[in-house]
Amino acid sequence: MAEYRRDVMSKRLVMEYVKELNPKIDLVNKSTKNGIIAYEGFFTSPHATLFPDHMPGNVGRAHFKAWLPDKPSPVCIHLAGTGDHSYFRRQYLLVDDMLKDGVGAILIQNPFYGDRKPPNQFRSSLENVTDLFVMGASLIAECNHLFNWAETLGYGPFAISGVSMGGFMAQLAGSNSQRPISIIPILSWTTASPSYTEGAISPAVNYKLLQKQLEDPNYTDKIKNIPNQNWLDTMHEMTAKNGDTMAKNMMRILMDDFTSLENYPTPIDTSLCHVFLADQDQYVLRNQGTPTYEQLWPNVTVEMMEGYGHVTAYFMGHGIWRKRIHQLLRTQQQREATKI
């Protein structure tokens, strides 16, 4: 994963592999009602083909649903947040109203969620820290493959969005798009590191077990053998300096390595990127010395939802989120029209 992140994901090369693999999309259902074509299908995740050990069994099969107007139109992929194992919540709160404005939608199940949940996993509790990194890498390939599929059907331009963890995944997937697309991360941040080490979700991490692993010489010897990284040295330096456990500092290091936008390409057109933040968010923290969106994505616009926390913003914000996605897609349409 470290090598793939450094040599492929960080250089906007994921789609070179996806185009070569070109996994077949199997449609299990297609119907038309009131001018909307509904699709349901699946395909083998390109990441599962490249790294079968990362995505055993059903995890490697990407399931999706799409609702597309029966004439050419813009399309947005809405990614699932933490705990969202079905399509219903996103369809009800985002898709249905956007279809009224002529914007199609594609919903994909996250790896390790829904039909892709490993048999031994308890609900949304990923069995391994690395599963989160696999989820991000997989969705980069899967989302961009679905954009290509929709384009062959005559649709476009495209946007990608998600709330909370879905926002993290959306910005990673958007960073590897080889076309200008609108990217709308909602209640997310430039790195997941503070969320899993300091935020309200951090107690969900089994730090005792991670600490026990890092105190095991057999385990740390395996880490030392991973080329082109100095995670253990950095961990010991941080632990001596900040007094936190080795496990918490290693989590900071790995989360920054695999999720920080500093390590991913800048989107092709950052003026099409719009970020929603909540000023009282206790789940996704932004005050840990991490870079801002403005520092990493020139020309991005950032909208602060004043007086909202993470949960209240989720329940109250869908209207303004839909409106902004529609505006950005309309901007793309206007720009493309002027080129013609």
Side-chain angles (χ1 to χ4, degrees), residues 68-69 71-75 147-158:
L68 305 176
K71 56 186 177 181
S73 64
V75 173
F147 280 142
N148 284 354
W149 169 73
E151 188 175 53
T152 64
L153 298 177
Y155 293 94
F158 298 104

mmCIF file of all heavy atoms in Angstrom, residues 68-69 71-75 147-158:
data_model
loop_
_atom_site.group_PDB
_atom_site.id
_atom_site.type_symbol
_atom_site.label_atom_id
_atom_site.label_comp_id
_atom_site.label_asym_id
_atom_site.label_seq_id
_atom_site.Cartn_x
_atom_site.Cartn_y
_atom_site.Cartn_z
ATOM 1 N N LEU A 68 -30.251 7.904 -13.602
ATOM 2 C CA LEU A 68 -29.796 8.817 -14.638
ATOM 3 C C LEU A 68 -30.973 9.273 -15.503
ATOM 4 O O LEU A 68 -31.759 8.429 -15.962
ATOM 5 C CB LEU A 68 -28.743 8.129 -15.519
ATOM 6 C CG LEU A 68 -27.537 7.534 -14.784
ATOM 7 C CD1 LEU A 68 -26.628 6.799 -15.763
ATOM 8 C CD2 LEU A 68 -26.759 8.617 -14.041
ATOM 9 N N PRO A 69 -31.120 10.586 -15.715
ATOM 10 C CA PRO A 69 -32.173 11.062 -16.621
ATOM 11 C C PRO A 69 -32.035 10.421 -17.998
ATOM 12 O O PRO A 69 -30.925 10.040 -18.406
ATOM 13 C CB PRO A 69 -31.914 12.570 -16.673
ATOM 14 C CG PRO A 69 -31.230 12.881 -15.380
ATOM 15 C CD PRO A 69 -30.368 11.679 -15.091
ATOM 16 N N LYS A 71 -31.968 11.596 -20.784
ATOM 17 C CA LYS A 71 -31.295 12.455 -21.765
ATOM 18 C C LYS A 71 -29.970 12.893 -21.157
ATOM 19 O O LYS A 71 -29.783 12.815 -19.933
ATOM 20 C CB LYS A 71 -32.157 13.663 -22.110
ATOM 21 C CG LYS A 71 -32.561 14.502 -20.918
ATOM 22 C CD LYS A 71 -33.531 15.597 -21.309
ATOM 23 C CE LYS A 71 -33.985 16.396 -20.076
ATOM 24 N NZ LYS A 71 -34.948 17.442 -20.437
ATOM 25 N N PRO A 72 -29.009 13.330 -21.972
ATOM 26 C CA PRO A 72 -27.701 13.728 -21.418
ATOM 27 C C PRO A 72 -27.838 14.715 -20.270
ATOM 28 O O PRO A 72 -28.614 15.680 -20.359
ATOM 29 C CB PRO A 72 -26.996 14.353 -22.633
ATOM 30 C CG PRO A 72 -27.621 13.692 -23.813
ATOM 31 C CD PRO A 72 -29.061 13.484 -23.436
ATOM 32 N N SER A 73 -27.082 14.481 -19.201
ATOM 33 C CA SER A 73 -27.193 15.329 -18.011
ATOM 34 C C SER A 73 -25.947 15.192 -17.164
ATOM 35 O O SER A 73 -25.183 14.230 -17.308
ATOM 36 C CB SER A 73 -28.420 14.908 -17.186
ATOM 37 O OG SER A 73 -28.253 13.596 -16.709
ATOM 38 N N PRO A 74 -25.729 16.136 -16.257
ATOM 39 C CA PRO A 74 -24.610 15.997 -15.307
ATOM 40 C C PRO A 74 -24.907 14.908 -14.288
ATOM 41 O O PRO A 74 -26.067 14.560 -14.042
ATOM 42 C CB PRO A 74 -24.527 17.374 -14.646
ATOM 43 C CG PRO A 74 -25.858 18.001 -14.845
ATOM 44 C CD PRO A 74 -26.420 17.438 -16.114
ATOM 45 N N VAL A 75 -23.845 14.374 -13.695
ATOM 46 C CA VAL A 75 -23.974 13.254 -12.754
ATOM 47 C C VAL A 75 -23.045 13.487 -11.563
ATOM 48 O O VAL A 75 -21.908 13.934 -11.722
ATOM 49 C CB VAL A 75 -23.603 11.917 -13.437
ATOM 50 C CG1 VAL A 75 -23.575 10.776 -12.419
ATOM 51 C CG2 VAL A 75 -24.585 11.586 -14.561
ATOM 52 N N PHE A 147 -17.349 6.889 -13.510
ATOM 53 C CA PHE A 147 -17.428 8.106 -14.329
ATOM 54 C C PHE A 147 -17.236 7.752 -15.808
ATOM 55 O O PHE A 147 -17.967 8.240 -16.681
ATOM 56 C CB PHE A 147 -16.363 9.112 -13.901
ATOM 57 C CG PHE A 147 -16.706 9.908 -12.668
ATOM 58 C CD1 PHE A 147 -15.733 10.220 -11.731
ATOM 59 C CD2 PHE A 147 -17.992 10.359 -12.447
ATOM 60 C CE1 PHE A 147 -16.037 10.955 -10.601
ATOM 61 C CE2 PHE A 147 -18.314 11.098 -11.310
ATOM 62 C CZ PHE A 147 -17.332 11.390 -10.387
ATOM 63 N N ASN A 148 -16.253 6.915 -16.088
ATOM 64 C CA ASN A 148 -16.011 6.512 -17.478
ATOM 65 C C ASN A 148 -17.208 5.766 -18.065
ATOM 66 O O ASN A 148 -17.578 5.959 -19.223
ATOM 67 C CB ASN A 148 -14.758 5.640 -17.566
ATOM 68 C CG ASN A 148 -13.478 6.449 -17.458
ATOM 69 O OD1 ASN A 148 -13.508 7.680 -17.425
ATOM 70 N ND2 ASN A 148 -12.346 5.772 -17.397
ATOM 71 N N TRP A 149 -17.812 4.899 -17.243
ATOM 72 C CA TRP A 149 -19.006 4.166 -17.683
ATOM 73 C C TRP A 149 -20.134 5.127 -18.023
ATOM 74 O O TRP A 149 -20.768 5.021 -19.091
ATOM 75 C CB TRP A 149 -19.440 3.187 -16.584
ATOM 76 C CG TRP A 149 -20.791 2.581 -16.805
ATOM 77 C CD1 TRP A 149 -21.127 1.623 -17.723
ATOM 78 C CD2 TRP A 149 -21.994 2.880 -16.080
ATOM 79 N NE1 TRP A 149 -22.472 1.322 -17.621
ATOM 80 C CE2 TRP A 149 -23.026 2.070 -16.614
ATOM 81 C CE3 TRP A 149 -22.290 3.751 -15.024
ATOM 82 C CZ2 TRP A 149 -24.340 2.107 -16.131
ATOM 83 C CZ3 TRP A 149 -23.594 3.790 -14.540
ATOM 84 C CH2 TRP A 149 -24.594 2.986 -15.093
ATOM 85 N N ALA A 150 -20.392 6.094 -17.128
ATOM 86 C CA ALA A 150 -21.465 7.057 -17.376
ATOM 87 C C ALA A 150 -21.167 7.907 -18.612
ATOM 88 O O ALA A 150 -22.079 8.255 -19.376
ATOM 89 C CB ALA A 150 -21.656 7.951 -16.147
ATOM 90 N N GLU A 151 -19.900 8.213 -18.820
ATOM 91 C CA GLU A 151 -19.528 9.009 -19.995
ATOM 92 C C GLU A 151 -19.814 8.249 -21.290
ATOM 93 O O GLU A 151 -20.263 8.825 -22.275
ATOM 94 C CB GLU A 151 -18.055 9.396 -19.918
ATOM 95 C CG GLU A 151 -17.624 10.379 -21.001
ATOM 96 C CD GLU A 151 -16.179 10.821 -20.807
ATOM 97 O OE1 GLU A 151 -15.307 9.935 -20.688
ATOM 98 O OE2 GLU A 151 -15.931 12.042 -20.773
ATOM 99 N N THR A 152 -19.588 6.929 -21.285
ATOM 100 C CA THR A 152 -19.886 6.140 -22.487
ATOM 101 C C THR A 152 -21.384 6.122 -22.785
ATOM 102 O O THR A 152 -21.791 5.888 -23.931
ATOM 103 C CB THR A 152 -19.391 4.678 -22.344
ATOM 104 O OG1 THR A 152 -20.112 4.031 -21.287
ATOM 105 C CG2 THR A 152 -17.905 4.637 -22.066
ATOM 106 N N LEU A 153 -22.216 6.383 -21.768
ATOM 107 C CA LEU A 153 -23.667 6.445 -21.961
ATOM 108 C C LEU A 153 -24.121 7.842 -22.373
ATOM 109 O O LEU A 153 -25.318 8.065 -22.575
ATOM 110 C CB LEU A 153 -24.388 6.024 -20.674
ATOM 111 C CG LEU A 153 -24.141 4.598 -20.175
ATOM 112 C CD1 LEU A 153 -24.873 4.351 -18.862
ATOM 113 C CD2 LEU A 153 -24.567 3.573 -21.216
ATOM 114 N N GLY A 154 -23.176 8.776 -22.470
ATOM 115 C CA GLY A 154 -23.502 10.125 -22.926
ATOM 116 C C GLY A 154 -23.688 11.153 -21.830
ATOM 117 O O GLY A 154 -24.165 12.264 -22.094
ATOM 118 N N TYR A 155 -23.301 10.818 -20.588
ATOM 119 C CA TYR A 155 -23.529 11.739 -19.477
ATOM 120 C C TYR A 155 -22.278 12.559 -19.152
ATOM 121 O O TYR A 155 -21.173 12.216 -19.541
ATOM 122 C CB TYR A 155 -23.981 10.956 -18.240
ATOM 123 C CG TYR A 155 -25.341 10.334 -18.424
ATOM 124 C CD1 TYR A 155 -25.454 9.019 -18.877
ATOM 125 C CD2 TYR A 155 -26.507 11.051 -18.198
ATOM 126 C CE1 TYR A 155 -26.694 8.441 -19.069
ATOM 127 C CE2 TYR A 155 -27.752 10.480 -18.393
ATOM 128 C CZ TYR A 155 -27.842 9.177 -18.831
ATOM 129 O OH TYR A 155 -29.075 8.620 -19.033
ATOM 130 N N GLY A 156 -22.483 13.613 -18.407
ATOM 131 C CA GLY A 156 -21.428 14.512 -17.982
ATOM 132 C C GLY A 156 -21.939 15.943 -18.000
ATOM 133 O O GLY A 156 -23.002 16.206 -18.573
ATOM 134 N N PRO A 157 -21.243 16.868 -17.366
ATOM 135 C CA PRO A 157 -20.021 16.722 -16.574
ATOM 136 C C PRO A 157 -20.290 16.012 -15.240
ATOM 137 O O PRO A 157 -21.422 15.641 -14.951
ATOM 138 C CB PRO A 157 -19.565 18.174 -16.366
ATOM 139 C CG PRO A 157 -20.856 18.950 -16.388
ATOM 140 C CD PRO A 157 -21.728 18.255 -17.391
ATOM 141 N N PHE A 158 -19.219 15.900 -14.430
ATOM 142 C CA PHE A 158 -19.295 15.056 -13.248
ATOM 143 C C PHE A 158 -18.890 15.794 -11.975
ATOM 144 O O PHE A 158 -18.105 16.739 -11.997
ATOM 145 C CB PHE A 158 -18.406 13.827 -13.425
ATOM 146 C CG PHE A 158 -18.821 12.963 -14.585
ATOM 147 C CD1 PHE A 158 -18.094 12.986 -15.768
ATOM 148 C CD2 PHE A 158 -19.934 12.155 -14.495
ATOM 149 C CE1 PHE A 158 -18.469 12.209 -16.843
ATOM 150 C CE2 PHE A 158 -20.325 11.366 -15.573
ATOM 151 C CZ PHE A 158 -19.594 11.391 -16.746
#
